[in-house]
Amino acid sequence: MTLLEGASLFSDKDHARCAAAARRALREFDQSSKGLKLPASVALMARQSAWSHASLVHRLRQSLPPGPWIVRDRNGVWTGAEDWHALQTLLLPRIWDYGLAHRISCARPLFPAIFKRFTYLAAHLARFRSKQWVASSSRKLKNGLHESVSGAGGHLAVFQPTSGGWQDYKALLNDLQSSKISQTFRISPLVENAASVRTTLETLRLIGETFSDPRVRCAWALYAPYFAKTVPAMLGIVAEGSALLRILEARTAVTYEANSWLTAPLMEAAGAAGIKRVVFNHNSQPPSNSPIANSVLLTLLRQRTYNELTDVAAVWSPFSIKAMRGIQQNKPVCRVIPVRLQYPANTVTTEKTRPLRVLHAGNYQNWSDFFPWVAETADEYLNGVEALATAVEHMDGIELIVRVRPKREVDAQTVETRLGHRRNVTVCGIEQDFLEQLAESDVLVAHFSTTVEQALQMGKPVLLWGSTARYQQFPGQDIPPTGRLNDSVYIVRHASALPAMLGAIRDATRAAGQSAGPEAAYSLEVGAPSVDQLASFLVHPTTLTEAVYP
């Protein structure tokens, strides 16, 4: 078996078994970790690992025929595996390397003590240069937040791990000489034999022994080398990050997701430094009529946004806000506020003879991800795109653009190879800004993606389509419109129905001209704060009521 062949199609029962195994692993982790003094950021990431490992090994169990097997090991060598333990020992390290989801590139610089002194000196100089620092783990703040922070007079302090060698010194010198509004502070990992590192790793090992599922216990033990690499880096960011934040007198810390190996320790460091921690959620996670999907989405919501490492959850999706407020009825964790995004102007022409421009921008999950029972697997994604392209190439007055967000399993070239040359069909990557590309389109097609809700907020009709019917992101109309667009969301469950639905949307769009705009259900109220107001709070965090939501 080779991972390059993609993920197999799952039945509803397969997905239900995987979700049940993941929930059981979460319960056991929470029970066994009670009272143990794991650092908050490590605990968050370890909890996520338990969930994803249980998902992964049961996904393998549902996908593979009975053994023995011949699989590629970590080095790509075909090797025999007689039982499940041998299979996991060979295959899981390859999957983790393949996905790159849990790796931190971090090495100690030359002369670490001297580098630390220079870094602290750089922080003092940065404090002298500006009194309005906002901390983040990335220079790329999406949805216009980077520009808004700059407009509010803020400077961005980016916290990253060191990469080793002299390049850390060179990068530090370049940052000191730069006039940009952002500056990077590189933090060394703790030494591997530091007492806090040894204690944390031993605690994680003991937690792993409590899992009742032998496959999950095996996966946890195999993951130990990854923990051994990430924990020193995380603890280093927590310790030095809090000190640097105090020197900078940083106003706030902001990220898009709290659940990464870099953002989690930064948010813990910010908490230790006594500054507000803000997650500007960039996902869309509307509730589903599927109990399996709901359990997955709510777990993701807690991991990414609504947890003890967050003080303020700034959310642009009304449905995510509703979900978070439903969670907090039992035990409020953080403040949830709405934030209106600034969308580009609609650039679609009203010329009735032009083709209907259909943009496919869906989402799929490869082997390194843990919720394919909500989104499509890679094979399901390719099957759905191919069926859509087949329908479009035989129709007049429609052009299809397939936008592919590359992952190791599927990229634009993979889709182009699968489709071949098709009339009226174009495949592209992510070179163009998505929202600008959406503004140039008439209709969005996706199965499950944040792009769906963004399109609805821009006033674009959406066609929910994929090769699986197990998940429905929004309720919608499965009867083709007649005369005019009578809904914002349309659904096709079988490929045979695509031509009729696409043709009806084309004819209705021609008759109506440009869309009248988004429906109230998909939009925040007019008085909700803007991204500029959120940025103003990040730079001048007086009170939430005054600065963000009047």
Side-chain angles (χ1 to χ4, degrees):
M1 187 183 85
T2 170
L3 293 172
L4 297 179
E5 293 170 355
S8 64
L9 294 168
F10 272 17
S11 69
D12 288 346
K13 287 185 178 179
D14 293 333
H15 285 276
R17 293 188 186 103
C18 287
R23 287 195 298 270
R24 182 168 60 250
L26 274 185
R27 289 195 299 270
E28 291 177 347
F29 176 87
D30 291 341
Q31 183 63 38
S32 61
S33 62
K34 278 182 180 178
L36 300 178
K37 295 182 179 180
L38 275 177
S41 55
V42 174
L44 180 74
M45 298 309 300
R47 188 177 192 271
Q48 180 167 294
S49 297
W51 183 47
S52 60
H53 294 163
S55 303
L56 176 58
V57 296
H58 279 268
R59 186 174 173 187
L60 285 170
R61 180 183 181 186
Q62 302 301 326
S63 301
L64 301 182
W69 307 273
I70 299 177
V71 300
R72 288 189 189 274
D73 65 11
R74 188 173 186 174
N75 299 314
V77 178
W78 289 100
T79 308
E82 295 296 324
D83 56 25
W84 272 100
H85 187 274
L87 176 74
Q88 290 185 223
T89 302
L90 288 168
L91 193 54
L92 292 188
R94 178 174 173 83
I95 291 175
W96 289 323
D97 284 348
Y98 174 82
L100 298 178
H102 307 296
R103 303 182 70 185
I104 291 180
S105 176
C106 186
R108 290 176 66 78
L110 294 173
F111 312 110
I114 296 176
F115 181 77
K116 180 178 178 179
R117 287 179 179 271
F118 278 127
T119 301
Y120 277 48
L121 175 61
H124 282 289
L125 292 174
R127 177 71 184 92
F128 177 77
R129 181 160 62 95
S130 172
K131 296 182 179 181
Q132 297 174 340
W133 287 97
V134 175
S136 180
S137 61
S138 172
R139 291 176 182 266
K140 297 179 180 179
L141 297 181
K142 303 176 186 176
N143 295 329
L145 185 57
H146 194 140
E147 294 79 4
S148 293
V149 167
S150 176
H155 286 197
L156 202 62
V158 180
F159 289 78
Q160 292 282 335
T162 52
S163 52
W166 289 109
Q167 53 191 326
D168 290 312
Y169 290 89
K170 181 180 178 181
L172 179 61
L173 182 61
N174 288 339
D175 256 6
L176 287 173
Q177 295 174 335
S178 173
S179 60
K180 295 180 179 178
I181 66 164
S182 60
Q183 183 170 333
T184 300
F185 296 91
R186 293 164 181 83
I187 298 177
S188 305
L190 300 185
V191 293
E192 294 180 0
N193 63 350
S196 58
V197 173
R198 294 199 311 270
T199 300
T200 299
L201 291 175
E202 176 61 15
T203 302
L204 292 171
R205 186 190 67 79
L206 293 175
I207 290 173
E209 292 180 352
T210 66
F211 289 116
S212 61
D213 189 326
R215 291 183 177 84
V216 179
R217 286 202 307 274
C218 176
W220 190 267
L222 289 170
Y223 200 68
Y226 291 83
F227 273 132
K229 181 178 181 181
T230 58
V231 166
M234 293 181 72
L235 296 184
I237 292 174
V238 172
E240 281 195 43
S242 58
L244 290 169
L245 288 169
R246 289 188 181 98
I247 293 172
L248 289 168
E249 296 183 16
R251 303 303 183 88
T252 51
V254 64
T255 183
Y256 284 99
E257 295 175 340
N259 64 326
S260 82
W261 296 107
L262 296 182
T263 58
L266 173 60
M267 300 302 262
E268 184 176 354
I275 65 175
K276 291 286 186 185
R277 301 164 295 180
V278 181
V279 172
F280 184 25
N281 181 286
H282 70 291
N283 297 288
S284 170
Q285 296 172 328
S288 167
N289 57 0
S290 163
I292 298 174
N294 271 336
S295 70
V296 175
L297 291 171
L298 288 176
T299 301
L300 277 170
L301 202 57
R302 289 187 177 98
Q303 289 292 128
R304 287 171 166 170
T305 305
Y306 195 81
N307 54 61
E308 65 274 11
L309 294 179
T310 305
D311 297 312
V312 180
V315 186
W316 59 270
S317 160
F319 300 94
S320 294
I321 291 173
K322 183 178 179 181
M324 277 190 264
R325 286 177 174 160
I327 295 172
Q328 73 177 352
Q329 287 179 356
N330 298 327
K331 183 181 178 183
V333 175
C334 66
R335 175 83 181 269
V336 179
I337 60 170
V339 174
R340 286 182 292 109
L341 298 185
Q342 181 64 46
Y343 289 107
N346 189 352
T347 57
V348 172
T349 65
T350 56
E351 201 175 317
K352 293 188 177 182
T353 57
R354 66 171 182 80
L356 180 80
R357 178 170 291 186
V358 178
L359 176 63
H360 183 286
N363 195 7
Y364 58 94
Q365 304 303 322
N366 60 23
W367 281 93
S368 65
D369 294 303
F370 34 71
F371 60 114
W373 44 79
V374 178
E376 296 172 310
T377 64
D379 283 347
E380 289 167 342
Y381 166 82
L382 287 171
N383 289 344
V385 170
E386 185 174 29
L388 180 65
T390 299
V392 169
E393 73 172 333
H394 294 106
M395 301 183 71
D396 294 324
I398 299 179
E399 61 181 26
L400 170 66
I401 299 97
V402 181
R403 178 187 172 96
V404 184
R405 187 174 70 178
K407 297 184 180 179
R408 283 204 158 198
E409 212 167 62
V410 177
D411 57 16
Q413 183 59 54
T414 306
V415 176
E416 285 183 336
T417 301
R418 176 70 172 264
L419 297 183
H421 179 71
R422 303 271 182 148
R423 174 176 172 263
N424 303 334
V425 179
T426 304
V427 179
C428 68
I430 56 173
E431 296 79 14
Q432 183 179 0
D433 178 79
F434 166 69
L435 293 179
E436 291 179 0
Q437 196 169 20
L438 181 59
E440 299 169 355
S441 305
D442 297 288
V443 181
L444 177 82
V445 178
H447 167 70
F448 163 79
S449 178
T450 292
T451 61
V452 170
E453 196 166 348
Q454 289 174 325
L456 292 169
Q457 290 191 5
M458 286 183 68
K460 306 286 183 178
V462 171
L463 174 59
L464 297 180
W465 159 250
S467 66
T468 171
R470 66 176 173 270
Y471 176 76
Q472 182 174 304
Q473 187 163 350
F474 287 105
Q477 177 66 255
D478 58 3
I479 300 174
T482 56
R484 63 185 181 88
L485 295 175
N486 55 3
D487 206 329
S488 295
V489 182
Y490 296 88
I491 297 171
V492 168
R493 294 182 174 84
H494 303 285
S496 59
L498 278 169
M501 181 64 79
L502 288 169
I505 292 176
R506 174 199 59 201
D507 296 343
T509 302
R510 282 178 175 175
Q514 289 188 352
S515 173
E519 291 186 7
Y522 305 108
S523 301
L524 295 170
E525 59 188 71
V526 176
S530 65
V531 175
D532 286 344
Q533 287 173 286
L534 174 62
S536 177
F537 167 71
L538 294 175
V539 179
H540 307 286
T542 51
T543 66
L544 273 179
T545 302
E546 294 174 6
V548 178
Y549 205 0

